[in-house]
């Protein structure tokens, strides 16, 4: 089927995962991502796959650890509070270099917060997803089509680098319905997994998946090796989109739903003669530093548009090396920025003429 | 001219468009001079519901009965006690938005005896050929039977709401006619209406019987 269908963002994640060869979904329901689990529950049994509703998020992520150790493609999904519960498991997955895909359809926090959309797990996803030194590849879809495409990419990158890939969406994109085109087979690249625990058949040494390394000199070396791998990821995998940046005086940086709202605001601002453009990170880690570094020499200022209290803004400041002022435009708690709200900020920043904060 | 029983129940696959149709059908009844109450029975999805049209209903003079928690931040699948009034108050027309799939239809079960006893209702099966889990008649009818088993009622007719969201054009709708007819043939149900966004209405009105225009209730980003 390459015909278009009308899907919810959450359904697109589930269908894309299946078409990418995922046959193990281990999860626990939570609004606003429950459709991922519901879709998997309906479809997995029909295609010989496994849908498991675990007794908790902690249990689900450790089931992912188990399946990933056998080299099979597997996925779990949750929303913000559930991801916090999974963080211990994310650290263990990283420690064992296990490829897995984890989806976070974010909602407002902290704590139980609310069920409306948010992007306030940015720090958690890109900086602190658990204890210890590790990274996850973090992909930020901004349409239902990208929910599908980036889920598929998440599986490939996870296998390629033996890492966890996180799809960091939000309640809006999870719940909205848009036309989507899906390829029949999204499982493009197959990776050998000689490290997987699949039974030795008495023909090879045991493979051991373990995160307890008591000798500090060995543990240090494992960390150093892992960070060498991360360097390769940082070199090869940053992805971003530029929108109306050619002549921009003001550069908005925004991802996911915030980038869609920003685009509408940019079109309006351009009608008023304000030269504003957008850099949309598609990978949040590795962060697309280069386009922002280049923009810092051209634009007068940046605006970080985000559904959080100023998290993305730190990476914009780092990437731009604080050469130009970076302003914050945000709504939180489940509120979404409107094009008018962003436009107001653009006009305000434009009136400052690029003055420092 | 489209006729209505006193109670119109909309059920179908998750995301088939029940809520949009419920809102528009209620407005249609109100515009034809009837007293109308809309009841939001959707306990499955706390995100997109008739409650989102609360302000419109108020303006139109349509009564809305929904869980006090609907569209709030409290994700509780509870039903308001005055829901019984919708079923029992025969002086007013009722449009009941049932939650998606069999899971959503379970909630209807406790009101079924009263609805059947009055016997002045329609249970409409809302279908969309472009939804990924109902691309053909077989899968659609399968979900239909799951819903019937869950709510212990039989569907009375079909609403063809086949659409591709913002990319829907006249051809997309025309391409769904065979699909809807085939479901009708398989189930013995008639097609009550085909629903299209109002901007496509004139283009399709002479090509499809019982075309019903929808003014979409959706959030644009």
């Amino acid at each position: 089927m390459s015909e278009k269908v009308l899907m919810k963002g959450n359904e697109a994640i589930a269908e894309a995962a299946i078409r990418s060869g995922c046959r193990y979904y281990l999860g626990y329901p939570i609004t606003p991502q429950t459709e991922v689990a519901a879709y998997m529950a309906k479809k997995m049994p029909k295609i010989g796959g496994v849908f498991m509703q675990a007794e908790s998020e902690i249990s689900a992520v450790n089931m992912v650890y188990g399946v990933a150790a056998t080299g099979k493609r597997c996925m779990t999904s949750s929303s913000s509070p559930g991801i916090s519960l999974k963080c211990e498991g994310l650290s263990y997955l990283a420690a064992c270099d296990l490829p897995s895909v984890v989806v976070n359809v974010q909602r407002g926090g902290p704590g139980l917060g609310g069920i409306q959309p948010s992007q306030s797990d940015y720090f958690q996803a890109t900086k602190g997803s658990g204890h210890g030194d590790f990274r996850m590849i973090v992909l930020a879809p901004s349409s239902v089509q990208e929910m599908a495409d980036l889920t598929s990419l998440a599986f490939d990158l996870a296998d390629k680098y033996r890492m966890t890939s996180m799809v960091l969406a939000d309640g809006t994109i999870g719940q909205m319905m848009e036309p989507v085109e899906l390829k029949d087979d999204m499982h493009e690249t197959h990776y050998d997994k000689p490290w997987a625990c699949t039974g030795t058949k008495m023909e090879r040494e045991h493979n051991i998946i373990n995160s307890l390394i008591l000798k500090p000199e060995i543990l240090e070396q494992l960390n150093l090796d892992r960070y060498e791998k991360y360097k390769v990821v940082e070199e090869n995998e940053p992805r971003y989109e530029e929108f109306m940046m050619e002549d921009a005086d003001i550069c908005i940086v925004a991802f996911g739903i915030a980038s869609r709202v920003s685009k509408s605001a940019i079109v309006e601002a351009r009608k008023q003669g304000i030269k504003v453009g957008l850099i949309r990170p598609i990978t949040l880690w590795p962060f697309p530093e280069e386009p922002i570094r280049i923009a810092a020499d051209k634009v007068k200022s940046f605006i970080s548009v985000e559904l959080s209290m100023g998290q993305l803004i730190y990476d914009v400041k780092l990437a731009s090396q604080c050469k130009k002022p970076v302003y914050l435009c945000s709504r939180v708690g489940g509120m979404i920025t409107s094009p008018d709200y962003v436009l107001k900020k653009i006009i305000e920043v434009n009136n400052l003429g690029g003055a420092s904060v | 001219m489209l006729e209505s029983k006193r109670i119109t129940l909309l059920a179908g696959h998750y995301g088939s468009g029940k809520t949009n149709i419920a809102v528009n059908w209620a407005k249609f009844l109100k515009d034809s001079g009837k007293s109308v109450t809309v009841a939001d029975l959707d306990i499955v999805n706390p995100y997109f519901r008739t409650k989102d049209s609360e302000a419109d209903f108020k303006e139109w003079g349509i009564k809305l009965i929904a869980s006090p928690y609907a569209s709030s931040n409290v994700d509780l699948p509870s039903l308001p006690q005055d829901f019984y009034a919708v079923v029992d108050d025969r002086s007013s027309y009722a449009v009941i938005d049932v939650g998606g799939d069999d899971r959503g239809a379970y909630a209807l079960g406790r009101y079924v005896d009263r609805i059947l006893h009055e016997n002045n209702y329609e249970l409409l099966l809302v279908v969309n050929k472009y939804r990924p889990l109902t691309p053909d008649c077989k899968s659609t009818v399968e979900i239909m039977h799951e819903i019937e088993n869950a709510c212990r009622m039989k569907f009375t007719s079909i609403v063809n709401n086949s659409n591709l969201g913002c990319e829907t054009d006249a051809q997309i709708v025309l391409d769904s006619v065979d699909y809807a007819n085939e479901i009708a043939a398989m189930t013995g149900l008639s097609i009550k209406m085909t629903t299209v966004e109002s901007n496509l209405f004139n283009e399709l009105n002479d090509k499809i019987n019982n075309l019903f225009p929808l003014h979409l209730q959706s959030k644009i980003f």
Side-chain angles (χ1 to χ4, degrees), chain A residues 4 6 11 31 35 115 179, chain B residues 14 47 75 130-131 164 167:
Chain A
K4 281 203 170 170
L6 184 67
E11 295 170 337
T31 304
E35 291 85 2
I115 61 171
Chain B
Y14 190 75
Y47 247 73
D75 191 1
Y130 300 102
R131 291 282 290 146
L164 252 186
E167 289 183 21

Side-chain angles (χ1 to χ4, degrees), chain B residues 2 24 28 31 36 46 48 78 93 105 108 117 128-129 140 146 150-151 183 193 203 219:
Chain B
L2 290 161
N24 282 273
F28 168 74
D31 287 348
V36 184
F48 181 67
S78 72
Y93 276 71
L108 188 56
H117 183 253
N128 180 356
K129 166 188 160 72
T140 310
E146 287 170 9
C151 69
I183 296 170
M193 57 184 165
E203 195 177 346
K219 299 169 183 170

Side-chain angles (χ1 to χ4, degrees), chain B:
Chain B
M1 183 61 197
L2 290 161
E3 305 266 322
S4 181
K5 299 279 188 182
R6 189 182 75 77
I7 298 177
T8 304
L9 301 123
L10 294 147
H13 176 41
Y14 190 75
S16 56
K18 300 172 291 296
T19 299
N20 264 321
I21 295 167
V23 171
N24 282 273
W25 189 246
K27 174 83 165 38
F28 168 74
L29 292 176
K30 183 70 194 178
D31 287 348
S32 58
K34 297 178 172 85
S35 159
V36 184
T37 303
V38 170
D40 184 343
L41 196 59
D42 188 346
I43 56 164
V44 177
N45 184 359
Y47 247 73
F48 181 67
R49 336 183 20 151
T50 45
K51 176 102 171 179
D52 296 336
S53 298
E54 201 168 13
D56 287 336
F57 285 139
K58 207 166 179 186
E59 190 192 320
W60 300 336
I62 292 171
K63 194 174 165 195
L64 172 68
I65 295 179
S67 159
Y69 305 114
S71 294
S72 76
N73 265 345
V74 184
D75 191 1
L76 268 184
S78 72
L79 294 170
Q81 60 186 26
D82 49 355
F83 196 90
Y84 281 106
V86 181
V87 179
D88 292 343
D89 175 9
R90 298 186 181 182
S91 68
S92 180
Y93 276 71
V95 178
I96 302 178
D97 183 13
V98 182
D101 289 342
D102 49 343
R103 286 182 295 267
Y106 280 119
L108 188 56
R110 68 199 243 200
Y111 310 105
V112 164
D113 289 345
R114 292 168 191 230
I115 295 170
L116 291 177
H117 183 253
E118 182 193 2
N119 197 23
N120 189 3
Y121 71 93
E122 278 186 294
L123 176 58
L124 304 179
L125 174 70
V126 181
V127 298
N128 180 356
K129 166 188 160 72
Y130 300 102
R131 291 282 290 146
L133 293 185
T134 56
D136 51 39
C137 302
K138 190 172 159 282
S139 52
T140 310
V141 172
E142 224 167 82
I143 286 177
M144 176 188 121
H145 288 310
E146 287 170 9
I147 294 170
E148 288 184 335
N149 288 337
C151 69
R152 297 182 285 116
M153 288 176 82
K154 296 283 182 198
F155 281 101
T156 56
S157 57
I158 297 162
V159 177
N160 179 15
N161 184 47
S162 294
N163 75 88
L164 252 186
C166 56
E167 289 183 21
T168 310
D169 58 21
Q171 196 55 46
I172 293 281
V173 181
L174 289 170
D175 287 347
S176 74
V177 170
D178 285 349
Y179 158 83
N181 286 338
E182 207 178 314
I183 296 170
M186 271 176 85
T187 57
L189 300 174
S190 63
I191 298 169
K192 183 180 177 69
M193 57 184 165
T194 300
T195 45
V196 293
E197 202 175 341
S198 49
N199 61 356
L200 292 173
F201 185 79
N202 287 337
E203 195 177 346
L204 287 167
N205 198 22
D206 58 343
K207 300 188 178 83
I208 298 175
N209 291 334
N210 295 328
L211 200 65
F212 182 75
L214 297 179
H215 296 274
L216 293 189
Q217 177 217 30
S218 62
K219 299 169 183 170
I220 307 290
F221 296 103

Side-chain angles (χ1 to χ4, degrees), chain A residues 10-21:
Chain A
N10 288 335
E11 295 170 337
I13 286 175
E15 183 61 36
I18 288 168
R19 288 174 193 228
S20 300

Side-chain angles (χ1 to χ4, degrees), chain A residues 100-103 136-137 139 153-155 157-158 163-167:
Chain A
S100 65
V101 172
V102 176
V103 176
M136 294 189 302
I137 292 166
L139 302 161
L153 178 66
F155 278 102
L157 294 179
M163 290 177 68
T164 294
S165 295
M166 174 175 275
V167 178

